[in-house]
């Protein structure tokens, strides 16, 4: 058998390529065999990409066929050498796993068609109020705005005043000339991780990063490209309770998952009741 398999494998390596696969796909001639188990061209379809060269195709197919053959030989050996009890247990587990996959896939499809994924703010607030002790921050959060500009700008002092004061007129004027800035963020109404701000602002280092965690603090830093003007609006340090607006996406997912579990229970009950009603499920005494 070893000699026969080696010959078949050699022929496979010589014949199988992208061209072979596409030309002979319809004929479904096997490209390899281990005992009474065959490997067909369609089993290799997932190996090919449009950008692969012929040599890459041959190498990938060669490796795949070798791994496939090794696994089939091991399975064949196991069936011959393992005791009946072990084989029976493996077959039972395989059947159970297959049935679990079928059932899970079917339930997921039913749930996707029926579940309501819209979470109102009222629902989120109720859940947050009842469970806010579990929403502890693992990182510092800040609300801030900044602009990065050339340090030689004549209106630098004016920009600084507008960014600090930031009334509606200031915001409008800064936004209207934002194209002139090297980078900027004027949306100071959302919480972001302090680490994200640090990654944006190249002038921040280990010595001055704590300046970000001072509420209502104005910071001016210089790097090789210009000047950063930053206004810190609010700060929440790690181990504080996460604010609702920051944690809402997480709460939404928790509520959706709870709905999903409840819907699955209802579907399972309805499917069973329907089967009993239509004589598809019976329990014998």
């Amino acid at each position: 058998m070893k000699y026969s398999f080696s010959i078949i494998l050699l022929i496979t390596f010589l014949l199988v390529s992208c061209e072979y696969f596409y030309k002979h796909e319809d004929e479904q001639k096997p490209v390899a065999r281990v005992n009474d188990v065959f490997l067909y061209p369609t089993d290799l379809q997932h190996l090919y990409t449009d950008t692969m060269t012929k040599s890459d195709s041959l190498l990938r197919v060669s490796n795949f066929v070798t791994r496939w053959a090794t696994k089939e030989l091991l399975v064949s050996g196991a069936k011959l050498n393992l005791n009946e009890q072990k084989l029976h247990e493996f077959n039972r587990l395989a059947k159970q796993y297959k049935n679990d996959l079928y059932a899970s896939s079917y339930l997921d499809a039913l749930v996707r068609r029926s579940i309501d994924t819209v979470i109102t703010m009222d629902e989120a607030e109720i859940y947050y109020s009842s469970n806010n002790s579990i929403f502890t921050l693992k990182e510092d959060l800040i609300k801030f705005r900044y602009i990065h500009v050339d340090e030689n700008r004549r209106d630098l002092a004016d920009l600084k005043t507008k960014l600090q004061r930031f009334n509606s007129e200031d915001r409008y004027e800064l936004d209207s000339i934002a194209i002139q800035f090297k980078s900027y963020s004027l949306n100071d109404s959302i919480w972001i991780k302090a680490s994200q701000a640090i990654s944006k602002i190249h002038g921040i280092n280990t010595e001055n990063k704590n300046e970000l965690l001072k509420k209502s603090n104005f910071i001016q830093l210089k790097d090789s490209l210009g000047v950063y003007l930053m206004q810190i609006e609010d700060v929440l340090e790690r181990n504080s309770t996460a604010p609702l607006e920051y944690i809402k996406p997480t709460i939404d997912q928790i509520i959706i998952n709870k709905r999903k579990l409840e819907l699955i229970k209802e579907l399972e009950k309805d499917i069973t009741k329907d089967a009993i009603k239509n004589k598809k499920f019976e329990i014998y005494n």
Side-chain angles (χ1 to χ4, degrees), residues 70 76-77 87 109 121 138 143 162 168 189 195 201 212 227 239 255 261 271 273 278:
T70 301
S76 178
L87 290 173
M121 184 56 73
K138 296 181 181 178
K143 288 182 177 181
K162 285 182 169 64
S168 57
S189 63
S195 58
I201 313 299
L212 281 175
V227 175
N239 297 323
I255 295 175
L261 291 175
I271 289 170
K273 286 180 181 178
N278 293 293

XYZ file of all heavy atoms in Angstrom, residues 70 76-77 87 109 121 138 143 162 168 189 195 201 212 227 239 255 261 271 273 278:
155
model
N -1.638 11.892 5.469
C -1.180 11.529 6.816
C -2.348 11.387 7.769
O -2.436 10.425 8.540
C -0.195 12.593 7.348
O 0.917 12.684 6.457
C 0.306 12.213 8.738
N -7.270 5.712 9.649
C -7.380 4.297 9.279
C -6.720 3.411 10.320
O -7.260 2.372 10.723
C -6.728 4.079 7.912
O -6.776 2.725 7.545
N -5.544 3.826 10.789
C -4.847 3.065 11.816
C -5.620 3.027 13.115
O -5.667 2.002 13.806
N -14.109 3.453 19.850
C -14.652 3.851 18.553
C -16.111 4.275 18.665
O -16.541 5.247 18.033
C -14.518 2.692 17.559
C -13.098 2.352 17.105
C -13.112 1.081 16.263
C -12.475 3.506 16.318
N -30.357 31.223 12.636
C -31.088 31.775 11.497
C -32.467 32.277 11.923
O -32.912 33.354 11.499
C -31.222 30.727 10.398
N -32.567 54.361 24.817
C -31.773 54.949 25.898
C -32.384 54.624 27.258
O -31.660 54.404 28.239
C -31.659 56.461 25.706
C -30.766 57.142 26.735
S -29.077 56.457 26.825
C -28.392 57.123 25.292
N -11.023 50.493 33.144
C -9.695 49.898 33.210
C -8.628 50.848 32.683
O -7.434 50.564 32.781
C -9.672 48.588 32.415
C -10.595 47.518 32.987
C -10.529 46.238 32.183
C -11.472 45.188 32.760
N -11.460 43.932 31.970
N -12.119 63.935 27.913
C -12.777 64.687 26.849
C -11.858 65.870 26.548
O -11.506 66.622 27.472
C -14.150 65.193 27.302
C -15.212 64.124 27.423
C -16.548 64.749 27.841
C -17.656 63.707 27.893
N -18.972 64.304 28.289
N -9.286 81.171 21.032
C -10.525 80.563 20.519
C -10.678 79.121 21.017
O -11.786 78.687 21.361
C -10.533 80.584 18.988
C -10.816 81.953 18.371
C -10.849 81.851 16.856
C -11.398 83.115 16.207
N -10.563 84.307 16.445
N -19.753 79.209 20.590
C -20.280 78.747 19.309
C -19.597 79.443 18.130
O -19.337 78.816 17.095
C -21.794 78.975 19.248
O -22.099 80.342 19.458
N -17.107 66.292 23.076
C -18.300 65.817 23.798
C -18.269 64.305 24.039
O -19.163 63.774 24.689
C -19.566 66.189 23.023
O -19.578 65.540 21.750
N -4.966 56.905 26.374
C -3.918 56.288 25.547
C -4.110 56.626 24.072
O -3.141 56.736 23.321
C -3.917 54.770 25.745
O -5.173 54.208 25.425
N -1.037 62.607 19.815
C -0.220 63.788 20.100
C 1.232 63.372 20.276
O 1.618 62.830 21.317
C -0.706 64.518 21.368
C -2.220 64.694 21.347
C 0.013 65.842 21.529
C -2.750 65.501 20.194
N -2.504 65.496 30.785
C -3.768 65.151 30.135
C -4.861 64.822 31.145
O -6.050 64.872 30.824
C -3.578 63.932 29.220
C -2.953 64.145 27.849
C -2.751 62.803 27.172
C -3.803 65.058 26.991
N 3.125 73.012 16.641
C 2.667 73.193 18.013
C 1.300 72.537 18.196
O 0.419 72.672 17.344
C 2.548 74.700 18.346
C 1.952 74.904 19.742
C 3.910 75.366 18.272
N -10.593 52.876 37.344
C -11.290 52.394 38.546
C -12.514 53.240 38.898
O -13.233 52.910 39.843
C -10.358 52.296 39.757
C -9.252 51.286 39.552
O -9.467 50.237 38.948
N -8.053 51.599 40.039
N -27.744 43.440 26.426
C -29.209 43.328 26.342
C -29.618 42.480 25.147
O -30.526 41.641 25.231
C -29.850 44.726 26.275
C -29.603 45.489 27.579
C -31.351 44.618 25.995
C -30.091 46.932 27.566
N -30.964 34.830 24.125
C -31.132 33.627 24.947
C -32.604 33.374 25.254
O -33.067 32.224 25.212
C -30.338 33.769 26.249
C -28.812 33.755 26.113
C -28.154 34.038 27.456
C -28.328 32.411 25.564
N -41.071 24.924 18.984
C -40.754 23.842 18.049
C -41.168 22.496 18.624
O -41.735 21.646 17.920
C -39.243 23.856 17.710
C -38.909 25.067 16.837
C -38.819 22.563 17.012
C -37.426 25.300 16.655
N -43.496 21.950 21.032
C -44.962 21.894 21.108
C -45.569 21.587 19.744
O -46.517 20.801 19.617
C -45.513 23.223 21.632
C -45.288 23.441 23.117
C -45.870 24.788 23.537
C -45.642 25.051 25.013
N -46.164 26.381 25.439
N -48.268 17.872 15.926
C -48.323 17.269 14.592
C -47.828 15.819 14.572
O -47.510 15.293 13.510
C -47.493 18.105 13.613
C -48.099 19.474 13.366
O -49.171 19.591 12.781
N -47.422 20.516 13.833
